[in-house]
Amino acid sequence: TIDPDRLWRSIMETAAIGGTPKGGINRLALTDRDRQVRDWLKSACEDLGCTVTVDEVGNMFAVRPGRLDVPPIAVGSHLDTQPTGGKFDGILGVLAGLELLRTLDEAGYETNAPLMLVNWTNEEGSRFSPAMLGSGVHAGVFDRAYADSRTDRQGVTFGEALDEIGYRGPAKVGSTAFSAMFELHIEQGPILEAEEKAIGVVTGVQGMRWYEIALTGREAHTGSTPMSQRRDALVGAARIIGAVEAIARTHPPGVGTVGLVEVGPNSRNVIPGHVFLTVDFRHPDDAALDVMEKALFATVEEAGRASGLEHALRQVWNSPAVAFDPALVDAVRRVADGLGLSWREIVSGAGHDAAYVARIAPTTMIFVPCAGGHSHNEAEATSYEECRVGAQVLLAAVLDHDRR
Amino acid sequence: TIDPDRLWRSIMETAAIGGTPKGGINRLALTDRDRQVRDWLKSACEDLGCTVTVDEVGNMFAVRPGRLDVPPIAVGSHLDTQPTGGKFDGILGVLAGLELLRTLDEAGYETNAPLMLVNWTNEEGSRFSPAMLGSGVHAGVFDRAYADSRTDRQGVTFGEALDEIGYRGPAKVGSTAFSAMFELHIEQGPILEAEEKAIGVVTGVQGMRWYEIALTGREAHTGSTPMSQRRDALVGAARIIGAVEAIARTHPPGVGTVGLVEVGPNSRNVIPGHVFLTVDFRHPDDAALDVMEKALFATVEEAGRASGLEHALRQVWNSPAVAFDPALVDAVRRVADGLGLSWREIVSGAGHDAAYVARIAPTTMIFVPCAGGHSHNEAEATSYEECRVGAQVLLAAVLDHDRR
Ligand SMILES: NC(=O)NCCC(=O)O
Ligand SMILES: NC(=O)NCCC(=O)O
């Protein structure tokens, strides 16, 4: 049985690293705050006698030996956050994994397989696009050079930032193999809470695609430039923002969002000459995403023509829909039943490291509810009890798997 | 006769202070670059034996004595620029004024009235809203405390920035009186070039109003938040941006622009919870601006309702339409005729310090063309010849006025 007090304390203790006045966390990937929480995790794992290795893209692996010389069973998630993120997204998965190691240590329990706790680098994709970059490199979806070359909006590369915080390790990417991975995570959506289920048995992850759009018009004076002679990049952007919403609504249960907009020169009395914006489309059905993508391309063409803009549109990320390993999904279902918990099957709306890890090892996820479904929000809230239940299911599922 | 080479050299010399790779200038008000160009102007004026005084909001006044003990005749404009501004906007008016002083000095010409060259603070309104702030304080439209309290988007106040660059002077605002002001400026619009006129005889300035809108929705995950449960502040903003354009087009010759947008938290996979945007409406008829304003208020209500947003909308600036002094307008017309130049009457689409100064002294303006009407753009271009003609008309108009 895990110790829910100890788990909660570790969540609150690390939440102070980048803690915001509104009770959230601002701990973007590869910032000094990310380094601090990594240092914290490293020393917590070493205190348990685990060996911590770091790979070339900063993924951290802490191993607790087992009885047999076989590949470990992995648990984990990520410790980076959104700029105005919550205290649980990713963090619960890592700290519940730590709690699992601590519980086994205290009980003197020896597993058959070694256990491995993983902290994946840059899962959020907020500072460096795309999301799930560390797990993606591990799974061979991206190569190391690609990761190193990603730049944040200030022009700092992933590689520079990683070196800066001292978390480029010697382990070759992908060299730290494991036989299976279980990732505990908050749902980040409203379904479990609405249906009063304690556990989400996650069967897969929907498809997701990211796009970058650059619009170029002509900077001009807002007062002396007639409406008919304008090439206003922001007017074009507004049309695209509206269309992204409309495209998503006409392809249920798809979703579409423009999350980031940069306007140049961004001065009250200058007609915007440049706009950079991003689009995030998701759908459980990859074919529907193809249709949504076509509609986006047509929209950008049309908006460019209507406002006299040059435009560049590119897909920068495509993570197809993922189905998790049936045997592991079964194990989670069995464990939830065994503990007498209410559960439902669910497809994740959010991307997770498990989605990429599933390409190279049997993988699944366990969801717990979060209040109102609010996530990527400082008000994100999962209760003490929900955290306890999630960690307990994680422990039980891992031991169930280890026994087979 | 002014020396066009010397004028052009001074334009190019000061253009290096904040010069951009694309040939423009980035010299926001009260930055260190603004200090540098102020220092340059001060020493250039002192080299001519002029007395330079600075008032409490940083307006600079350089006086060349005349034969009589009467209030001076003023010329001038501003040396601050947009973040991606051109080499002529405001600058031509100040440096042509300097050229006028240099020409009279060289010729040993003694005017009846003293002449005064003015550099007004924060005309652009880009760093500190509203525009024409220094001349507005001078004219009693704003008080000094209001100016001091204006903040840039980083939270620095006008007062702090002014103290920082050391340009808060001892002269009480409004104490440096003058009997008339002539402001030479580039048109910043396409009319003179299209009609092949050398000079715009400016009869007034259109009305202009600025608004600030803050929209608050709810930050949420882009993947796991159903379309029906979103409160996306950017979707609301897009609707407003589109409506501002539509409102302007239905009130010709009015113009409407959203120039500045800030999105929070501005992350690709977070539904925007906050958007701040600005609106700039202009029309030669203040009654039409009332109608446009009403339509804006209705739009913001509706956009807020449609996306479930809290919204705050306020008018932050209202500069009514201005008619310049008929006698001075006549003087410019007479001088243009006398020099055999083509000219037309024109109402300024852009705001100018002259618009506020007109409240306290007879005032007018002289326009010269700029290529394509492009302004508030690094590519802004007025030719050597156009600068020469403008400065010559300025000199002739001032001397004409001085003789009466
Ligand atoms: N779990 C999570 O929020 N991941 C970030 C990647 C995404 O889904 O956008
Ligand atoms: N002349 C000029 O560009 N002034 C800035 C104020 C405005 O018109 O927006």
Side-chain angles (χ1 to χ4, degrees):
Chain A
T1 316
I2 65 107
D3 178 345
D5 275 353
R6 186 169 51 194
L7 170 60
W8 192 255
R9 269 200 314 276
S10 69
I11 294 173
M12 292 308 146
E13 193 180 328
T14 54
I17 304 172
T20 66
K22 287 186 181 168
I25 306 182
N26 175 354
R27 199 164 64 210
L28 292 171
L30 307 188
T31 56
D32 190 66
R33 293 170 180 171
D34 188 10
R35 177 196 59 75
Q36 287 175 54
V37 77
R38 286 164 173 266
D39 288 352
W40 184 96
L41 181 69
K42 184 160 182 282
S43 94
C45 291
E46 287 173 348
D47 286 351
L48 296 172
C50 296
T51 313
V52 178
T53 54
V54 178
D55 76 10
E56 298 162 313
V57 294
N59 295 318
M60 298 173 67
F61 305 89
V63 176
R64 177 177 192 265
R67 214 166 46 77
L68 307 175
D69 185 22
V70 294
I73 302 170
V75 295
S77 191
H78 61 94
L79 292 174
D80 66 324
T81 79
Q82 292 287 328
T84 54
K87 290 192 289 289
F88 301 93
D89 173 0
I91 296 155
L92 176 61
V94 176
L95 298 184
L98 175 65
E99 178 53 34
L100 186 156
L101 298 180
R102 285 171 164 172
T103 301
L104 297 179
D105 184 64
E106 216 169 46
Y109 187 106
E110 195 176 26
T111 50
N112 294 311
L115 297 189
M116 183 159 82
L117 172 59
V118 191
N119 173 33
W120 301 106
T121 298
N122 192 63
E123 192 274 347
E124 291 291 355
S126 180
R127 181 169 180 202
F128 299 103
S129 151
M132 299 135 57
L133 190 54
S135 51
V137 172
H138 180 87
V141 180
F142 310 118
D143 62 23
R144 182 193 142 171
Y146 173 81
D148 274 344
S149 71
R150 306 305 295 163
T151 54
D152 68 13
R153 298 304 301 159
Q154 279 67 53
V156 179
T157 67
F158 177 99
E160 289 162 356
L162 183 61
D163 291 335
E164 175 75 25
I165 67 161
Y167 264 92
R168 193 189 293 281
K172 289 264 162 269
V173 290
S175 65
T176 44
F178 43 83
S179 65
M181 184 174 95
F182 292 87
E183 182 175 358
L184 170 66
H185 209 283
I186 62 169
E187 179 198 344
Q188 310 188 273
I191 299 172
L192 296 180
E193 188 189 57
E195 301 191 5
E196 299 184 15
K197 304 292 187 200
I199 289 292
V201 175
V202 190
T203 56
V205 179
Q206 68 179 340
M208 45 197 81
R209 301 189 190 178
W210 283 5
Y211 306 86
E212 292 182 354
I213 303 170
L215 302 173
T216 307
R218 188 175 53 223
E219 292 167 20
H221 197 289
T222 56
S224 45
T225 312
M227 295 309 288
S228 60
Q229 294 186 25
R230 295 177 171 219
R231 294 172 49 204
D232 186 330
L234 185 60
V235 167
R239 198 183 270 248
I240 294 168
I241 294 164
V244 164
E245 147 111 355
I247 291 167
R249 285 189 185 270
T250 50
H251 293 85
V255 288
T257 316
V258 175
L260 185 151
V261 177
E262 289 170 0
V263 178
N266 219 29
S267 179
R268 291 164 202 250
N269 44 1
V270 184
I271 297 169
H274 301 273
V275 176
F276 174 86
L277 67 159
T278 64
V279 175
D280 173 322
F281 271 155
R282 313 211 182 183
H283 202 290
D285 174 5
D286 290 320
L289 283 172
D290 290 339
V291 178
M292 291 165 76
E293 178 168 301
K294 274 217 185 68
L296 177 65
F297 273 76
T299 292
V300 173
E301 276 295 332
E302 188 192 303
R305 201 161 40 233
S307 298
L309 310 176
E310 288 155 45
H311 52 86
L313 161 56
R314 36 190 218 112
Q315 191 198 73
V316 292
W317 189 37
N318 181 349
S319 175
V322 172
F324 285 139
D325 183 75
L328 295 205
V329 173
D330 246 18
V332 174
R333 202 186 285 112
R334 204 163 48 233
V335 160
D337 272 336
L339 292 169
L341 297 166
S342 62
W343 57 268
R344 64 160 277 165
E345 291 191 355
I346 190 167
V347 172
S348 176
H352 296 288
D353 296 307
Y356 279 151
V357 171
R359 298 195 183 198
I360 53 159
T363 299
T364 199
M365 295 187 74
I366 301 158
F367 274 180
V368 289
C370 60
H374 305 323
S375 184
H376 286 193
N377 185 315
E378 290 160 278
E380 186 181 83
T382 291
S383 69
Y384 174 97
E385 177 58 14
E386 289 162 337
C387 290
R388 183 191 71 75
V389 168
Q392 192 61 48
V393 171
L394 179 68
L395 171 65
V398 166
L399 294 186
D400 175 284
H401 187 72
D402 180 59
R403 278 190 294 269
R404 280 159 202 264
Chain B
T1 315
I2 64 108
D3 178 346
D5 275 352
R6 186 169 52 192
L7 170 60
W8 192 255
R9 269 200 315 274
S10 69
I11 294 172
M12 293 307 146
E13 192 179 329
T14 55
I17 304 173
T20 66
K22 287 186 180 167
I25 304 183
N26 175 355
R27 198 164 65 210
L28 292 171
L30 307 187
T31 55
D32 191 65
R33 291 170 181 171
D34 188 9
R35 178 196 59 76
Q36 286 175 55
V37 77
R38 284 163 175 268
D39 288 353
W40 184 96
L41 180 69
K42 185 161 182 283
S43 95
C45 290
E46 288 174 349
D47 286 353
L48 296 171
C50 296
T51 312
V52 179
T53 55
V54 179
D55 75 11
E56 298 161 313
V57 295
N59 294 318
M60 298 173 68
F61 305 88
V63 176
R64 177 177 192 265
R67 213 165 44 77
L68 307 176
D69 184 21
V70 294
I73 301 170
V75 296
S77 190
H78 61 95
L79 292 174
D80 67 324
T81 77
Q82 292 287 329
T84 52
K87 291 192 289 288
F88 303 93
D89 173 1
I91 297 155
L92 175 62
V94 177
L95 298 184
L98 174 65
E99 177 53 35
L100 185 156
L101 298 180
R102 285 172 164 171
T103 302
L104 296 180
D105 184 65
E106 216 170 47
Y109 186 106
E110 195 175 28
T111 50
N112 294 311
L115 297 189
M116 183 160 82
L117 172 60
V118 192
N119 172 35
W120 301 105
T121 299
N122 192 63
E123 192 273 348
E124 291 291 356
S126 180
R127 180 170 181 201
F128 300 103
S129 151
M132 298 133 60
L133 191 54
S135 52
V137 172
H138 181 87
V141 180
F142 311 118
D143 63 22
R144 182 194 142 171
Y146 173 81
D148 274 343
S149 72
R150 305 306 294 163
T151 55
D152 67 13
R153 298 305 302 159
Q154 279 67 52
V156 179
T157 67
F158 177 98
E160 288 162 357
L162 183 62
D163 290 334
E164 175 75 27
I165 68 161
Y167 264 92
R168 192 188 294 282
K172 290 264 161 269
V173 290
S175 65
T176 43
F178 43 83
S179 64
M181 185 175 94
F182 292 87
E183 182 175 359
L184 171 66
H185 208 283
I186 62 169
E187 178 197 345
Q188 310 188 272
I191 299 172
L192 295 180
E193 188 189 59
E195 300 190 6
E196 299 183 17
K197 304 292 186 197
I199 290 292
V201 175
V202 189
T203 57
V205 179
Q206 68 178 342
M208 45 197 81
R209 300 189 190 178
W210 282 4
Y211 306 86
E212 292 183 354
I213 303 170
L215 302 173
T216 307
R218 189 174 52 223
E219 291 166 21
H221 197 289
T222 55
S224 45
T225 310
M227 296 309 287
S228 59
Q229 293 185 26
R230 296 177 170 218
R231 294 171 50 204
D232 186 330
L234 185 60
V235 168
R239 198 183 270 247
I240 295 167
I241 295 163
V244 163
E245 148 110 356
I247 292 167
R249 284 189 186 270
T250 49
H251 293 85
V255 289
T257 316
V258 176
L260 183 150
V261 176
E262 289 170 0
V263 178
N266 221 29
S267 179
R268 291 165 202 249
N269 44 1
V270 183
I271 297 169
H274 300 272
V275 176
F276 175 86
L277 65 158
T278 64
V279 175
D280 174 321
F281 272 154
R282 313 210 183 184
H283 202 290
D285 175 4
D286 290 319
L289 283 172
D290 290 338
V291 179
M292 293 165 75
E293 178 168 300
K294 275 217 185 67
L296 177 65
F297 274 77
T299 293
V300 173
E301 276 297 330
E302 189 192 303
R305 200 161 41 235
S307 298
L309 309 177
E310 287 154 46
H311 51 87
L313 161 57
R314 36 191 218 109
Q315 190 199 74
V316 293
W317 190 37
N318 181 348
S319 176
V322 172
F324 285 139
D325 183 76
L328 296 205
V329 173
D330 246 20
V332 174
R333 202 186 285 111
R334 204 164 47 236
V335 161
D337 273 336
L339 293 168
L341 297 167
S342 60
W343 57 268
R344 64 160 277 166
E345 291 192 357
I346 189 166
V347 172
S348 177
H352 296 287
D353 296 307
Y356 278 152
V357 171
R359 299 195 184 199
I360 54 159
T363 299
T364 200
M365 295 187 73
I366 300 157
F367 275 180
V368 290
C370 59
H374 305 323
S375 186
H376 286 193
N377 186 314
E378 291 161 278
E380 186 181 83
T382 291
S383 69
Y384 174 97
E385 176 59 13
E386 288 161 337
C387 291
R388 183 192 72 73
V389 168
Q392 192 62 47
V393 170
L394 178 68
L395 172 66
V398 167
L399 295 185
D400 174 283
H401 187 72
D402 181 60
R403 277 190 292 269
R404 280 161 202 261

